[in-house]
Amino acid sequence: MPQTLTEKILSRAAGRPVTPGDVTEIKVDKVAFHDLTGYHVIEVMEKVGSLKVFDPGRLVIAFDHLAPPPDVRSAEIQGIIRKFVRELRLPNFHDINYGILHQVLIEKYVNPGEVLVAADSHTTTSGAVGAFAQGLGASDVAAAVITGRTWVQVPQPFKVKLVGEPGKWINGKDVALKILGDFKADYFNGMALEVFVEKPSAFPMDYRATVANMGIEMNADALMFVPDSETVSYIKAMRGYEPPVVTPDPDAKYADEYTIELNKLEPLLAAPHSVDNVKTVGELEGTPVDQVFIGSCTNGRISDFTMAAQILKGKKVKARCIAIPASYNLFEKLMEMGIIKVLADAGCIITYGTCGPCLGGHFGIAGPNETIVSTSSRNFKGRMGSNESKVYLAGPAVAAASALEGKIADPRRY
Amino acid sequence: MKVEGKVLKFGDKIDTDIIIPARYLKYTDPEYLAQHAMEPLDPEFYKKARQGVILVAGKVFGMGSSREQAAIALKAAGVKAVIAESFARIFYRNAINNGLPAIVLPNATKEINEGDYVVVDVETGEIVVNGSKVLKGKGLTGMPLEIVKSGGLIEYLKKAKV
């Protein structure tokens, strides 16, 4: 029987053919956690009485949520994990100067067709390279670290087609928000989105990572870009090898399908306090903004900062602006390109490789009654700080234009 | 296996930042987490839940982050079960893994009111409201039921001797 990408990956992982609705045990190819969930994973392993890793080469750890530590307890948490890494001699550990876990995973580790589980909901990001990637809680991840196995219910596959080419200020965020606006946040619960890109180079890996990242905001069980020439060239550029590629069979059956014409998209935002409260920039233009955040595992990549820099070059921001490339690798390239200097000269405060502001952790917490425009993935009440703050989610172009004007602004005027 | 209690009712899309804000995630102590459960919506939740309550909610309850503390906080606060029209996948697993029964009931928010007294059969999914009205939710079977019966995934894994 012809298989979708979901069925192909999960059948291999289960060791038998599976179809949507099946509940099955599967082998995992990679397991990962970060600092804020990692100590909890280790605590569960200790309680189970099994402090062992099924295959140390398949476990990836990166410090990002508490990087660098904002308080004593955070430093203590990182210490617990460093000790675990030392004692078990784990090779794939990345301390605070490296990058956000999900960026590290697509840069270095995850291959098309693999199964990744990690103790963070934005694990869906690795769907950008065509992996079946799911976030799990600390206990489930502890079980996977020990045994190399987990269980899944095989989701219903849903086909998304991206056709044409996006306009100048449009990127992955506008596609993610378009889907959320059209379907709302509960629609894809129990489904896996498989995204087919008509013209692979028109929708590069940065954009794909944003859409896959926000698969969890759609409550999808997984969101995967069907591997194509862009996937192969990205991995080759990052790691120096050509990965094997898994694709769905041409006549595989999907629960439904949906097409986005990229050239018709306009800049979108999600207004407080829900990711599916989607508006066009025209509907919100002029809303006063206190702080802008450009970064996170959602939109903290080269094309995001290049887009922002085009708007900010030679000018000064009116709203406070925080810029955080998702990894050192990206930060280094942005330095070489002169983008970091453009952002700093415009008045942005810059670091790299921390989740800080996205979860109201540190490096720019929202105060009471403040309005934030953020390129991150969530605008839930209280998410970035005060319960009385408001968060608008947007792509980097809207974020940069809003920083410049101190109010929500349309980048198409630049 | 049956649980019972008075109903506290919430709407759709109750997210994990509502259930337990990120600033409390540096600890896993159930008592500490319980004191901050649902804090952004209702700082008094902890006091209301103490007597043992059943949460009733709308769609994708627990959407958002993978933080297992969301399930730990609710259970420790006194929540005996969550009945929702649907659950976010990660929260559902976290609830089961921590021995907190999660029952799917379409139209839950229409069929059950704040203050109702409900008895929930975790295996059959049968929900008796105020001693009279009987509703049929989706109970737990297979591995999830075994995990809840063991008291959570840690106890289950210990038994399995992984």
Side-chain angles (χ1 to χ4, degrees):
Chain A
M1 231 179 53
Q3 288 183 309
T4 61
L5 185 56
T6 308
E7 288 166 321
K8 269 197 184 170
I9 296 174
L10 294 181
S11 294
R12 179 192 54 81
R16 66 182 175 91
V18 294
T19 53
D22 290 355
V23 175
T24 182
E25 216 193 333
I26 54 168
K27 274 204 240 177
V28 298
D29 297 295
K30 304 277 156 62
V31 189
F33 55 72
H34 53 66
D35 39 10
L36 188 56
T37 54
Y39 85 96
H40 194 173
V41 172
I42 295 166
E43 192 179 292
V44 172
M45 293 172 73
E46 280 169 348
K47 284 183 182 164
V48 173
S50 189
L51 212 58
K52 63 177 189 195
V53 179
F54 80 104
D55 181 350
R58 292 178 184 272
L59 174 61
V60 180
I61 303 168
F63 287 172
D64 54 15
H65 280 57
L66 309 173
D71 53 34
V72 173
R73 174 60 182 158
S74 300
E76 189 180 33
I77 283 172
Q78 292 187 343
I80 293 167
I81 300 169
R82 285 193 196 96
K83 181 167 170 276
F84 174 81
V85 166
R86 266 196 315 274
E87 288 178 357
L88 293 174
R89 297 180 186 181
L90 302 175
N92 307 322
F93 167 63
H94 304 289
D95 213 309
I96 60 166
N97 58 344
Y98 201 85
I100 296 177
L101 176 65
H102 304 303
Q103 178 60 21
V104 174
L105 287 167
I106 62 169
E107 281 179 12
K108 280 180 75 90
Y109 294 105
V110 180
N111 290 306
E114 288 189 340
V115 173
L116 163 73
V117 295
D120 190 273
S121 61
H122 289 111
T123 302
T124 52
T125 312
S126 285
V129 297
F132 185 89
Q134 284 195 329
L136 295 173
S139 293
D140 269 326
V141 169
V145 170
I146 297 166
T147 65
R149 308 183 75 86
T150 190
W151 64 273
V152 290
Q153 177 156 34
V154 182
Q156 295 288 338
F158 182 102
K159 186 176 192 172
V160 176
K161 290 199 284 193
L162 304 183
V163 301
E165 292 187 36
K168 188 180 176 192
W169 300 117
I170 299 300
N171 81 0
K173 189 55 141 291
D174 305 294
V175 169
L177 292 177
K178 171 76 176 155
I179 297 171
L180 278 161
D182 283 359
F183 288 92
K184 299 299 170 192
D186 62 309
Y187 186 82
F188 293 110
N189 204 356
M191 293 192 220
L193 284 77
E194 296 186 11
V195 186
F196 293 69
V197 182
E198 183 192 54
K199 190 179 171 202
S201 63
F203 209 76
M205 194 51 68
D206 286 9
Y207 296 10
R208 297 176 186 206
T210 303
V211 178
N213 174 276
M214 292 194 71
I216 187 65
E217 313 316 329
M218 302 164 200
N219 276 290
D221 282 19
L223 191 157
M224 290 169 280
F225 277 80
V226 170
D228 57 23
S229 55
E230 190 65 21
T231 320
V232 173
S233 61
Y234 174 80
I235 291 176
K236 198 172 177 197
M238 298 306 294
R239 311 180 204 165
Y241 65 83
E242 276 194 26
V245 161
V246 184
T247 52
D249 293 323
D251 42 359
K253 282 203 169 56
Y254 290 84
D256 206 344
E257 71 172 63
Y258 164 73
T259 300
I260 295 179
E261 294 177 68
L262 296 171
N263 62 323
K264 288 192 177 159
L265 288 177
E266 53 182 320
L268 298 172
L269 295 94
H273 296 288
S274 180
V275 286
D276 58 5
N277 189 14
V278 176
K279 314 268 185 202
T280 62
V281 69
E283 291 176 272
L284 297 169
E285 221 176 346
T287 308
V289 173
D290 299 291
Q291 182 171 297
V292 169
F293 169 42
I294 306 173
S296 81
C297 60
T298 314
N299 281 99
R301 301 185 178 82
I302 303 287
S303 65
D304 298 310
F305 295 103
T306 309
M307 212 178 249
Q310 282 178 336
I311 291 169
L312 295 174
K313 188 165 185 161
K315 304 194 179 96
K316 290 281 180 198
V317 292
K318 283 201 183 122
R320 305 185 302 265
C321 185
I322 297 162
I324 309 183
S327 70
Y328 180 73
N329 173 55
L330 300 172
F331 185 71
E332 187 186 30
K333 285 192 184 122
L334 290 163
M335 278 197 290
E336 286 164 6
M337 293 165 79
I339 304 281
I340 295 296
K341 181 160 168 45
V342 169
L343 299 174
D345 288 347
C348 301
I349 179 163
I350 304 166
T351 183
Y352 70 86
T354 183
C355 307
C358 167
L359 72 153
H362 62 303
F363 212 81
I365 294 175
N369 303 313
E370 287 194 334
T371 299
I372 316 288
V373 170
S374 176
T375 68
S376 57
S377 58
R378 289 187 179 138
N379 59 350
F380 303 154
K381 189 175 161 79
R383 169 75 182 182
M384 295 183 76
S386 167
N387 287 334
E388 279 75 48
S389 62
K390 292 195 179 96
V391 180
Y392 290 85
L393 303 177
V398 169
S402 304
L404 205 57
E405 297 188 23
K407 57 191 186 200
I408 292 178
D410 191 337
R412 290 171 297 185
R413 285 190 278 102
Y414 292 90
Chain B
M1 185 182 166
K2 285 184 182 178
V3 292
E4 58 193 277
K6 230 175 156 180
V7 168
L8 292 178
K9 194 165 141 180
F10 295 89
D12 288 337
K13 295 188 282 186
I14 297 298
D15 62 74
T16 48
D17 283 276
I18 292 286
I19 300 171
I20 185 79
R23 59 185 168 277
Y24 303 119
L25 302 182
K26 291 167 196 163
Y27 299 91
T28 58
D29 173 45
E31 245 343 272
Y32 163 81
L33 294 168
Q35 288 172 31
H36 302 289
M38 306 296 270
E39 194 175 79
L41 271 194
D42 183 1
E44 302 288 296
F45 179 85
Y46 178 53
K47 290 176 193 157
K48 292 181 192 165
R50 233 176 205 163
Q51 54 188 321
V53 295
I54 307 283
L55 292 199
V56 171
K59 295 192 175 100
V60 284
F61 185 86
M63 69 178 279
S65 120
S66 70
R67 60 191 69 169
E68 193 157 322
Q69 285 96 334
I72 298 171
L74 291 180
K75 191 182 178 196
V79 175
K80 300 295 172 200
V82 184
I83 302 169
E85 292 171 8
S86 65
F87 287 91
R89 181 186 56 83
I90 306 175
F91 177 86
Y92 183 80
R93 291 178 69 134
N94 285 341
I96 301 300
N97 288 345
N98 285 279
L100 174 65
I103 307 294
V104 178
L105 176 71
N107 296 321
T109 56
K110 291 190 189 79
E111 298 278 5
I112 307 173
N113 295 311
E114 174 97 11
D116 281 350
Y117 195 89
V118 300
V119 181
V120 183
D121 186 316
V122 173
E123 283 173 64
T124 63
E126 191 179 87
I127 300 159
V128 181
V129 186
N130 298 329
S132 53
K133 186 157 94 172
V134 180
L135 304 167
K136 185 79 180 89
K138 184 173 171 274
L140 301 179
T141 55
M143 189 165 153
L145 178 64
E146 293 310 311
I147 294 171
V148 168
K149 277 183 166 172
S150 303
L153 187 64
I154 291 172
E155 296 306 316
Y156 178 86
L157 288 173
K158 270 192 198 166
K159 271 195 234 164
K161 295 192 168 56
V162 290

